[in-house]
Amino acid sequence: MACLKNKNCIVIQRVYLFDPFELQKGWAIPTSFQQMECTFLDHLSTRIMGFYSFFLWLLLLFSVISSNVFTVYAFKGTYGVNYGRIADNLPSPSSVVTLLKAAKIKNTRIYDADHEVLKAFKGSGIGIIVGLGNQYLKEIAVGEDRAMNWIKENVQPFLPGTNIAGIAVGNEILGGDDHELWEVLLPAVKNVYDALRRLGLTKVVEVSSPHSEAVFTNSFPPSACVFREDVSIYMKPLLQFFSQTGSPFYINAYPFLAYKSDPEHIDINYALFKSNKGILDAKTNLHYDNMFEAQVDAAYAALEKAGFPKMEVIVSETGWASRGDDNEAGASLENARTYNRNLRKRLAKKKGTPYRPKFVAKAYIFALFNENLKPGPTSERNFGLFKPDGSISYDIGFTGLKESSGVSSFIHFKVIGAYGWLGSSCALLLTTCITLVLLISAS
């Protein structure tokens, strides 16, 4: 930078930050400042160069982030929602995206790979785990080419626009009634992973397989939990593979189902995160004041005994029914509101569990909507946080699809959805650039 004097002003010559935002050559200082020494300008030059160095660092950081735009983790933050669609009265997938953005929900799971849903989520930035249904496992287990065909049809065409962060291979296979599926689960998982590897997508799309509590012999107290002997034969090789690929252990944990099965011996307050005396695990001397954490730690105990103490547990399903049959204890609107409200508060703390304090608790809530076509007892059709018309089922802090939500909010969500994460990042970078230039000018 040169310090020049002329008849009318002092000029700083050729000051550039970088091409798109270069300062004009004639950045003039008024004549009234002509008497100021060049030492002042040298000081100013030092300040500018300091900001310039910081700016280069900022650009480098942005470059690193941009280079990893498509390298995502399957779970962002601590809260997600299962988007079940066994119903004939649900809002459109595009409305669901608006709803999730309004609720600031960044993670969702679907139980298939519906193309209309995947198209609607394009540019939303919301991480979505797709499901490879149980009915496909036997075919996928036959060979990698079958898995490759499925991925090329249902996953690859939607990347990177749609943030497909994971593939759940099957759902609640081990511990279920179909023992033939037990045998094909691991081969199917391996074939899906190998197909992703050949396509260069293993750092983008996680492979997992959610389990039910049926894989455990017992889960009380948490430290006593172990995998069933008949399940363990299939579970350990599966866990070994997931350990090598860095996938977590997904478990569907429902305090509601536990309470419904034994309301005489389980304190409803313990199941709902309400004030209660809790339980003490005598072996670990750990105290639990809610069943959710006890169920998560039971899974950690089982993993440790199986030889996988460092594997993370993520709850792939949990929730509470707002309605039920006469024999479904605890199924009520008030209990559903209490459980989901308190669970949301618990997850927002971003803390671990008593047995694994360094593993932040994460969970997908079941479910986004009530699903009127689901078979089974009444409770199965009444787990939704929202009603089919998009309004809230009960208030836990979310806003439904209503005009009262504010037109400006909907415009905001549509703009973010149109440009996605990268657009937001560019906007943030531009704002930072302007701020830095203003700071330099103010100096």
Side-chain angles (χ1 to χ4, degrees):
M1 179 184 296
C3 176
L4 304 176
K5 293 184 179 180
N6 62 28
K7 182 177 180 180
N8 297 315
C9 64
I10 300 173
V11 180
I12 298 174
Q13 190 178 37
R14 295 181 184 275
V15 179
Y16 297 94
L17 290 181
F18 60 106
D19 289 344
F21 297 102
E22 68 173 77
L23 296 179
Q24 295 181 359
K25 297 178 183 179
W27 187 25
I29 298 177
T31 308
S32 59
F33 289 95
Q34 287 184 18
Q35 69 273 19
M36 301 183 72
E37 300 293 335
C38 281
T39 53
F40 171 80
L41 291 177
D42 290 338
H43 174 69
L44 181 60
S45 172
T46 302
R47 294 289 301 275
I48 292 175
M49 294 307 293
F51 277 113
Y52 178 56
S53 298
F54 171 76
F55 214 90
L56 287 177
W57 175 86
L58 183 66
L59 287 175
L60 178 62
L61 177 63
F62 180 74
S63 176
V64 171
I65 293 174
S66 297
S67 68
N68 289 281
V69 167
F70 307 132
T71 301
V72 297
Y73 295 99
F75 204 110
K76 300 176 182 179
T78 61
Y79 193 91
V81 177
N82 289 277
Y83 175 19
R85 305 188 325 281
I86 305 179
D88 59 6
N89 55 0
L90 299 183
S92 67
S94 60
S95 295
V96 171
V97 171
T98 301
L99 182 64
L100 292 173
K101 283 184 168 292
K104 297 182 179 179
I105 296 172
K106 300 177 181 179
N107 309 283
T108 190
R109 291 178 64 231
I110 58 177
Y111 294 86
D112 53 22
D114 185 89
H115 291 192
E116 292 305 311
V117 173
L118 297 179
K119 290 176 184 176
F121 274 75
K122 181 179 181 179
S124 70
I126 299 172
I128 182 168
I129 292 182
V130 300
L132 197 164
N134 296 357
Q135 67 271 26
Y136 299 111
L137 295 192
K138 293 179 182 178
E139 178 182 355
I140 295 295
V142 171
E144 184 185 325
D145 59 325
R146 311 291 179 91
M148 179 68 76
N149 292 338
W150 189 89
I151 291 169
K152 285 186 173 181
E153 179 181 352
N154 299 293
V155 176
Q156 189 181 34
F158 302 97
L159 295 171
T162 300
N163 183 9
I164 301 177
I167 300 174
V169 181
N171 186 52
E172 298 188 341
I173 298 298
L174 300 183
D177 296 330
D178 192 339
H179 284 246
E180 290 185 4
L181 292 182
W182 294 23
E183 297 178 356
V184 300
L185 177 58
L186 180 57
V189 165
K190 287 183 175 181
N191 284 338
V192 169
Y193 183 85
D194 288 342
L196 289 172
R197 179 178 50 78
R198 285 176 56 191
L199 295 171
L201 296 175
T202 54
K203 292 185 178 180
V204 180
V205 183
E206 175 191 88
V207 180
S208 63
S209 186
H211 307 285
S212 73
E213 294 273 335
V215 298
F216 303 130
T217 297
N218 62 298
S219 58
F220 182 84
S223 62
C225 188
V226 293
F227 289 111
R228 280 170 40 183
E229 187 174 349
D230 57 339
V231 168
S232 185
I233 300 173
Y234 300 94
M235 180 65 78
K236 285 187 177 181
L238 182 67
L239 294 175
Q240 182 62 45
F241 183 77
F242 283 148
S243 178
Q244 294 170 354
T245 60
S247 296
F249 179 78
Y250 283 91
I251 185 70
N252 297 340
Y254 286 92
F256 166 71
L257 297 180
Y259 176 77
K260 186 179 77 166
S261 66
D262 192 8
E264 295 183 5
H265 298 98
I266 297 177
D267 184 353
I268 185 67
N269 293 327
Y270 176 66
L272 294 174
F273 295 91
K274 296 176 71 175
S275 178
N276 66 96
K277 65 180 182 179
I279 67 162
L280 178 68
D281 189 323
K283 182 177 180 180
T284 60
N285 203 32
L286 294 174
H287 182 266
Y288 293 87
D289 59 12
N290 67 84
M291 186 182 292
F292 173 81
E293 291 183 351
Q295 289 183 331
V296 173
D297 275 356
Y300 275 124
L303 287 172
E304 183 174 323
K305 292 170 186 174
F308 303 93
K310 296 182 180 180
M311 183 171 287
E312 181 184 15
V313 172
I314 295 179
V315 176
S316 40
E317 288 183 20
T318 188
W320 200 283
S322 58
R323 287 183 58 202
D325 297 322
D326 292 339
N327 63 344
E328 294 189 282
S332 71
L333 187 67
E334 180 59 27
N335 286 343
R337 184 184 72 86
T338 299
Y339 180 80
N340 283 298
R341 180 192 62 204
N342 290 336
L343 175 63
R344 187 182 175 208
K345 290 180 179 178
R346 166 63 182 82
L347 295 174
K349 293 179 180 179
K350 298 181 180 180
K351 293 183 177 180
T353 57
Y355 195 55
R356 287 288 186 267
K358 294 183 179 180
F359 283 100
V360 175
K362 303 173 184 178
Y364 288 90
I365 312 308
F366 188 86
L368 192 58
F369 298 108
N370 290 333
E371 299 173 77
N372 66 337
L373 298 182
K374 288 197 73 174
T378 298
S379 62
E380 287 291 326
R381 294 176 288 282
N382 291 279
F383 273 89
L385 298 176
F386 297 90
K387 297 178 181 178
D389 63 2
S391 62
I392 57 175
S393 296
Y394 38 79
D395 184 15
I396 62 169
F398 291 144
T399 303
L401 291 170
K402 297 179 179 179
E403 291 184 4
S404 60
S405 299
V407 175
S408 61
S409 295
F410 279 92
I411 292 175
H412 171 73
F413 295 133
K414 289 180 180 179
V415 169
I416 294 295
Y419 293 98
W421 181 91
L422 187 58
S424 302
S425 299
C426 290
L428 177 61
L429 180 61
L430 179 59
T431 302
T432 306
C433 292
I434 295 172
T435 302
L436 288 174
V437 172
L438 289 176
L439 285 172
I440 294 172
S441 301
S443 299

